Amino acid sequence: MSQAFESGCDDERGKSPIGWYSGKTIILVAVVLLAVLALTQVVVADGGPHDNLLPQADSCAGCHRAHSAESGSVLQANSGNALCLTCHDGAGSTKTASTHANSNLESPLLHFSRVEELFSLDCVTCHNPHAPQDNNSLIRDTVNESDVVFTARTGLNSFDEDGDDTSDSDDICVTCHINSLNNQGYPMAIHDGGNHAPSPAYSGDLRDVDCIICHPHDPDGDSSSEDGFMTCAYGGFGCHGLFPNGSVAPNRNGAHEAHYNAVYGPHLTNCDDCHISVTVNDGHNDGTIMFAGNQTLATTTVCDPCHSQGGVYDGVAEAKSEWLLGTRVSCKGCHDAGTSIILGVAAPNVVGDGTTYGYYVSGHGMRDSVECSDCHDEDTVHLDGNSRTYVAGSTSYQSSYRLDYSMTIPLSVGDLFGEDKFELCFQCHYYDAIFDNFSPYQTNFRDENDATNSHRQHLIAGAAKWDSDWDMTIDSRISCTACHNVHGSPVPRGIRHGELISTPGTTDKVPALDFRWYESNGSTITTVLSESRYGDMPPLGGMGMGSIADSKVCNGCHGGMGEITYYRVPILGLTDLEPPEMSNQSPVDTGIDVLVDGNLTFTLSDSEMGVDWTTFQIQLSGNGGYAQSYTDDDTGIVTKTGTAASYDVTVNPGVDFRYGETITVTVDVDDLAPVPNSMVPPAWSFTTEEDTTAPDISDLDPLNGAFDVPLDGNLTFTLSDGESGVDWDTFYIEFNAPGYNQSYNESSSEVEKTGNPASYDVTVNPSVDFPNGETVAVTVTVDDRAVTPNNLTYDSWSFSTVNNAPDTPSNTLPSNGATGVSVTPTLESSAFSDPDSGDTHEGSQWQITVDQGNYTSSVYDSGFTIDLTSHNVAISLGNSTTYYWHVRHQDDHEKWSAYSTETSFTTSP
């Protein structure tokens, strides 16, 4: 080694530059290096440190330099952390790291009570770059004098093994973050034993959560997260970042997203714009941040400047109601007569006064047919701090007003005329009707004396007459929006009256275009020039130049020649924008005690084109299940009188209402306009009279208390209800007697009915005969059809049964007085007969005696036998003896007949 230095390092003078070291010095350097390595307890993993990530021939040389070291332990970087980051910078490695420190306290990001002293940890405090790869991320076996077992990022042997942060020294984070007030770092007590705090935002066991999800170690340029602590900043982690996403500390989506990051929003940059200022000392670890002035959502006024208050529509109330839901507020929440000022710009009034004019009264939203989003792109930049983004010749009219479709404005003198110049308007309006110059006209803006379509005349005019961007300089030919304001006007057809274009809070541009006309007869004057003056609307050229004193609507362009008039008869089919109306309802709305068989009467009227009777429909629905609907074709139920201007209508429902039912009525009808207007059904309901009487039972057969009722008899009776009617589905009947119980309902085959709910005649034929000689109790229950049913329970009906004895039989063989009869004769009787229909022959009894009329000591008695009408005597009688005999029959209810009349026979010798 000494020779290698001497031969390879001589200078031009033949001297070695290290000659003065001598071999002894070289040995000293080697000893020092070995000592340093010994002191650091180097344990080299198989394959070299970090699996030989860098291509140096010698693994140690990847980090250590004997001659060019910049820090202790002969490291080639000026610090241990700097050395680690030469690889772990997010570019050359999948793993990144940053100094675990809190040196950037200028950002108030830690929301707990204690302020940390400045500290910074070296990577090697926790990681051992020389350790074998038998521990996750080369974590040392001992950290902060605590043994560590770290083989997983979650679960067992992880950041938090079992949630008990005070005793598990093998949890890597707990080695420093001990639940103690004198710990070296923030205690994990803020996790409440494995539960994330602040409570109650993220309660729950976090053992299965990787700590670095909330506490990133990667450098991302965010001062709050490059040191490993949580951040509240949008785009970072922590309480208001990507994880977790709770309801109390929400991710910045929804309301937060709309205020901070949404393209259409105000792009707030500071939490303090709305919330109290949060620093490391005062904190909000109770799960909430109060609004400015330490107010709650209900009491805060931070919403008031931006969301309109004091107007027709309460935008502040809407904003607060949608806050936690995260849904977008409506346009009307700012664009009404209240005070909505964002970035120094007042929101133009679109809602108007909500009564005589405004978008939902006289504008395109009057029939809920056109929403703001039908014309405007809601997802583009909206709040830019510029009160008039559109500047003629510099910016796009479409993008400045966020229009879904184009409008060629400014419309220059050389522009070819066509439908494409007004794309937005002609999504709904008819191009031909606006510009057709041939009679009959399809526009109401026309002069029949001159045979001109006035819309066409104005829009094809070649001269520039209009200030489209309101800078008091004429820049465009006339276009649709020069004269019309689709957001609403106190005058018809959305003529640009002054209210919605006035300076917010004033009426300084009223009346602007107060537009009227003459009837075609020339005698009915609807306006005069003095009534049609501007309210300082930007100039349209001509004499007036926009001044209140001189610029008289049309006169502004027409050169101050006096009153400008035009004549036409209105085409109602074009001007009918109002739907039919309903009035004179009977029963009145919310009426009570309405007859269940009552009629409905009302008036349908339309003062313009009239009512289109062919579109009439009525629906009747009750809260008790009633549902009927009829149309104009149901002539037996629906009748009308009058004309299309006003129909008096009567509806006699084909099905009676139910008692005590609330009936809701919905009437639909259109007018006769070419584009029909549908009536908005008014709220109309009424409640029918109450049914307080239960059904009645009558015409009982057998009568209550009857006796001798046949065992196989039927029951008949009548169920009636003169009000709501009998609800047959609730019918139930039960029979009870000793040893006997039978029950049936409306669906049983034993039950039949005829009639209708007002009166049912019922027959019940029990499948099992009644018991003999018993009293049978009958219970009948049934409800009526009232909304709140009345119940009949009739249990005062009983009757007694009887079984008539069979008819007395007669002896047929042997014939009376017969002789020479066998000593084992066969006896025969007449057939079984019973007065009870349906009774059957169950058995017989045969007796023989030698003492005429005395059977107490008979010579033969069969007892009960199933030999019904023929019986072989089971003994041998004596020869040459005269015998007497009789027989009786038993029915299937064990009732015996009387014995037959006695006859005799004589046996053979």
Side-chain angles (χ1 to χ4, degrees):
M1 178 170 147
S2 175
Q3 292 176 347
F5 272 99
E6 290 175 355
S7 62
C9 300
D10 287 345
D11 61 15
E12 60 183 2
R13 292 169 294 178
K15 294 182 179 179
S16 170
I18 59 170
W20 57 274
Y21 277 108
S22 78
K24 198 182 302 181
T25 305
I26 300 299
I27 294 173
L28 177 61
V29 172
V31 170
V32 171
L33 176 60
L34 290 175
V36 169
L37 294 177
L39 290 173
T40 55
Q41 299 180 353
V42 174
V43 179
V44 180
D46 294 340
H50 301 77
D51 295 326
N52 198 17
L53 291 177
L54 297 178
Q56 280 81 3
D58 180 74
S59 298
C60 298
C63 299
H64 300 281
R65 289 289 188 271
H67 303 289
S68 59
E70 297 184 12
S71 65
S73 299
V74 291
L75 297 178
Q76 64 171 342
N78 59 13
S79 70
N81 288 346
L83 176 64
C84 295
L85 291 176
T86 59
C87 293
H88 298 283
D89 59 356
S93 170
T94 57
K95 294 183 179 298
T96 59
S98 67
T99 304
H100 196 71
N102 65 344
S103 58
N104 49 359
L105 284 178
E106 72 279 358
S107 181
L109 300 161
L110 305 177
H111 307 311
F112 307 105
S113 58
R114 298 176 61 245
V115 177
E116 284 288 353
E117 297 296 329
L118 294 181
F119 72 93
S120 177
L121 300 182
D122 288 336
C123 300
V124 295
T125 302
C126 298
H127 301 278
N128 184 355
H130 302 114
Q133 194 67 34
D134 59 356
N135 199 340
N136 193 13
S137 301
L138 297 177
I139 298 296
R140 293 184 179 277
D141 293 334
T142 301
V143 176
N144 198 29
E145 300 182 354
S146 296
D147 294 334
V148 174
V149 178
F150 183 59
T151 58
R153 290 187 179 276
T154 60
L156 186 65
N157 295 325
S158 68
F159 289 110
D160 183 14
E161 176 189 344
D162 57 9
D164 184 1
D165 299 325
T166 59
S167 62
D168 293 311
S169 61
D170 56 356
D171 299 344
I172 177 60
C173 297
V174 180
T175 59
C176 292
H177 296 280
I178 306 167
N179 281 346
S180 168
L181 292 179
N182 59 355
N183 67 311
Q184 295 184 19
Y186 271 98
M188 289 188 72
I190 64 172
H191 289 275
D192 195 17
N195 295 335
H196 186 287
S199 177
Y202 307 114
S203 60
D205 193 340
L206 295 186
R207 283 175 290 177
D208 292 332
V209 177
D210 192 331
C211 293
I212 63 173
I213 292 178
C214 293
H215 304 278
H217 286 68
D218 56 302
D220 56 8
D222 186 333
S223 63
S224 64
S225 60
E226 68 180 356
D227 62 9
F229 293 116
M230 297 180 70
T231 173
C232 67
Y234 178 77
F237 297 84
C239 294
H240 301 281
L242 302 179
F243 181 90
N245 182 11
S247 60
V248 178
N251 185 294
R252 292 258 178 87
N253 55 18
H256 283 101
E257 171 71 16
H259 287 77
Y260 266 78
N261 205 49
V263 174
Y264 57 83
H267 297 277
L268 301 181
T269 58
N270 197 325
C271 301
D272 294 348
D273 289 340
C274 298
H275 297 284
I276 61 174
S277 178
V278 177
T279 69
V280 294
N281 290 316
D282 51 25
H284 58 276
N285 58 338
D286 59 348
T288 61
I289 305 178
M290 299 296 284
F291 288 91
N294 207 33
Q295 299 297 305
T296 65
L297 178 63
T299 59
T300 185
T301 60
V302 297
C303 307
D304 297 4
C306 300
H307 298 274
S308 179
Q309 62 170 344
V312 174
Y313 186 80
D314 191 343
V316 173
E318 179 195 37
K320 290 183 177 181
S321 67
E322 301 297 335
W323 175 256
L324 293 180
L325 298 178
T327 53
R328 288 175 64 165
V329 296
S330 64
C331 301
K332 59 188 176 184
C334 292
H335 291 277
D336 75 348
T339 54
S340 173
I341 301 177
I342 303 176
L343 302 179
V345 177
N349 181 10
V350 170
V351 176
D353 65 4
T355 303
T356 62
Y357 70 94
Y359 187 73
Y360 298 100
V361 177
S362 57
H364 276 17
M366 63 185 295
R367 286 173 289 167
D368 297 324
S369 57
V370 181
E371 298 295 337
C372 302
S373 58
D374 292 330
C375 296
H376 294 282
D377 185 348
E378 294 182 319
D379 296 317
T380 56
V381 175
H382 180 36
L383 307 170
D384 59 3
N386 191 341
S387 60
R388 188 162 300 282
T389 304
Y390 164 67
V391 177
S394 298
T395 63
S396 163
Y397 191 88
Q398 178 179 356
S399 61
S400 295
Y401 288 106
R402 304 192 304 152
L403 301 178
D404 290 328
Y405 305 93
S406 67
M407 292 285 288
T408 304
I409 298 175
L411 188 61
S412 66
V413 175
D415 281 335
L416 295 177
F417 186 82
E419 185 173 357
D420 61 314
K421 300 298 188 293
F422 316 98
E423 183 185 10
L424 177 66
C425 299
F426 291 119
Q427 295 301 309
C428 299
H429 295 283
Y430 299 109
Y431 178 81
D432 291 339
I434 300 297
F435 294 104
D436 181 16
N437 204 36
F438 300 97
S439 182
Y441 298 107
Q442 295 300 305
T443 174
N444 265 321
F445 189 35
R446 69 190 188 283
D447 192 324
E448 291 172 346
N449 290 350
D450 294 338
T452 57
N453 179 330
S454 298
H455 273 125
R456 178 182 176 86
Q457 291 298 103
H458 283 75
L459 291 177
I460 67 173
K465 296 286 187 177
W466 179 39
D467 176 16
S468 65
D469 61 2
W470 300 71
D471 67 353
M472 301 305 291
T473 301
I474 292 173
D475 53 52
S476 174
R477 286 160 44 191
I478 296 294
S479 188
C480 303
T481 53
C483 299
H484 296 280
N485 185 344
V486 299
H487 293 145
S489 169
V491 296
R493 309 290 78 83
I495 296 299
R496 189 181 286 279
H497 211 262
E499 283 79 358
L500 297 187
I501 59 174
S502 293
T503 303
T506 76
T507 56
D508 60 358
K509 292 182 176 59
V510 172
L513 290 179
D514 192 4
F515 200 67
R516 310 179 198 179
W517 58 84
Y518 278 64
E519 296 288 354
S520 63
N521 58 23
S523 61
T524 304
I525 301 175
T526 63
T527 186
V528 294
L529 183 63
S530 62
E531 295 174 345
S532 300
R533 58 183 177 272
Y534 279 159
D536 198 22
M537 188 173 175
L540 299 180
M543 300 285 291
M545 294 304 293
S547 73
I548 296 177
D550 299 323
S551 193
K552 313 291 187 186
V553 186
C554 304
N555 194 30
C557 290
H558 289 276
M561 299 301 295
E563 185 178 63
I564 306 299
T565 62
Y566 75 100
Y567 306 86
R568 89 287 191 277
V569 176
I571 301 174
L572 293 181
L574 298 177
T575 60
D576 186 351
L577 295 178
E578 298 298 329
E581 295 181 346
M582 182 165 65
S583 58
N584 304 324
Q585 294 99 310
S586 178
V588 298
D589 185 37
T590 69
I592 60 175
D593 293 333
V594 175
L595 298 178
V596 293
D597 59 352
N599 295 341
L600 282 71
T601 61
F602 48 91
T603 299
L604 295 175
S605 58
D606 187 277
S607 60
E608 297 179 305
M609 290 293 291
V611 175
D612 184 357
W613 180 250
T614 63
T615 64
F616 173 81
Q617 296 183 54
I618 185 170
Q619 294 85 36
L620 307 170
S621 58
N623 63 342
Y626 184 92
Q628 295 292 317
S629 61
Y630 308 103
T631 69
D632 61 295
D633 292 330
D634 295 307
T635 54
I637 293 174
V638 180
T639 59
K640 74 178 190 310
T641 59
T643 65
S646 182
Y647 287 122
D648 291 326
V649 185
T650 299
V651 179
N652 184 6
V655 178
D656 286 352
F657 305 125
R658 296 177 63 179
Y659 280 80
E661 189 168 23
T662 297
I663 303 295
T664 299
V665 185
T666 303
V667 176
D668 296 302
V669 73
D670 294 345
D671 62 14
L672 290 165
V675 179
N677 301 288
S678 298
M679 184 180 73
V680 178
W684 182 15
S685 64
F686 54 83
T687 303
T688 60
E689 56 189 322
E690 292 289 340
D691 180 353
T692 59
T693 305
D696 184 47
I697 186 169
S698 60
D699 303 328
L700 306 180
D701 185 16
L703 295 173
N704 182 39
F707 57 91
D708 294 342
V709 174
L711 306 187
D712 59 350
N714 294 342
L715 278 72
T716 62
F717 50 92
T718 298
L719 294 175
S720 59
D721 189 282
E723 295 179 316
S724 62
V726 175
D727 184 357
W728 180 249
D729 291 340
T730 64
F731 172 80
Y732 179 81
I733 187 169
E734 185 173 9
F735 300 91
N736 283 288
Y740 182 86
N741 178 267
Q742 293 291 309
S743 60
Y744 310 103
N745 58 30
E746 80 288 348
S747 61
S748 300
S749 60
E750 293 84 355
V751 179
E752 296 179 353
K753 77 174 190 313
T754 59
N756 55 55
S759 181
Y760 287 121
D761 291 327
V762 184
T763 299
V764 181
N765 184 8
S767 57
V768 178
D769 286 352
F770 301 128
N772 184 27
E774 297 289 351
T775 297
V776 179
V778 184
T779 301
V780 176
T781 62
V782 73
D783 293 345
D784 63 16
R785 300 170 65 238
V787 175
T788 303
N790 301 288
N791 174 259
L792 164 71
T793 301
Y794 187 75
D795 55 6
S796 301
W797 185 11
S798 64
F799 53 84
S800 299
T801 60
V802 64
N803 181 31
N804 293 307
D807 296 332
T808 303
S810 59
N811 300 346
T812 58
L813 287 176
S815 59
N816 188 24
T819 60
V821 175
S822 170
V823 295
T824 56
T826 296
L827 306 179
E828 294 185 8
S829 73
S830 60
F832 176 80
S833 175
D834 196 297
D836 295 329
S837 174
D839 282 9
T840 59
H841 194 174
E842 187 75 14
S844 297
Q845 186 175 8
W846 310 80
Q847 291 181 331
I848 302 175
T849 184
V850 294
D851 186 5
Q852 185 178 8
N854 182 7
Y855 290 89
T856 56
S857 56
S858 59
V859 298
Y860 179 78
D861 189 337
S862 68
F864 174 84
T865 178
I866 59 173
D867 293 341
L868 302 180
T869 58
S870 178
H871 177 68
N872 293 323
V873 177
I875 65 173
S876 294
L877 302 176
N879 296 101
S880 302
T881 304
T882 297
Y883 291 96
Y884 303 90
W885 70 281
H886 63 189
V887 63
R888 64 177 181 173
H889 291 166
Q890 187 185 68
D891 64 16
D892 55 342
H893 299 296
E894 301 181 357
K895 187 76 170 182
W896 288 101
S897 68
Y899 278 103
S900 61
T901 301
E902 181 183 68
T903 62
S904 66
F905 63 86
T906 301
T907 58
S908 59

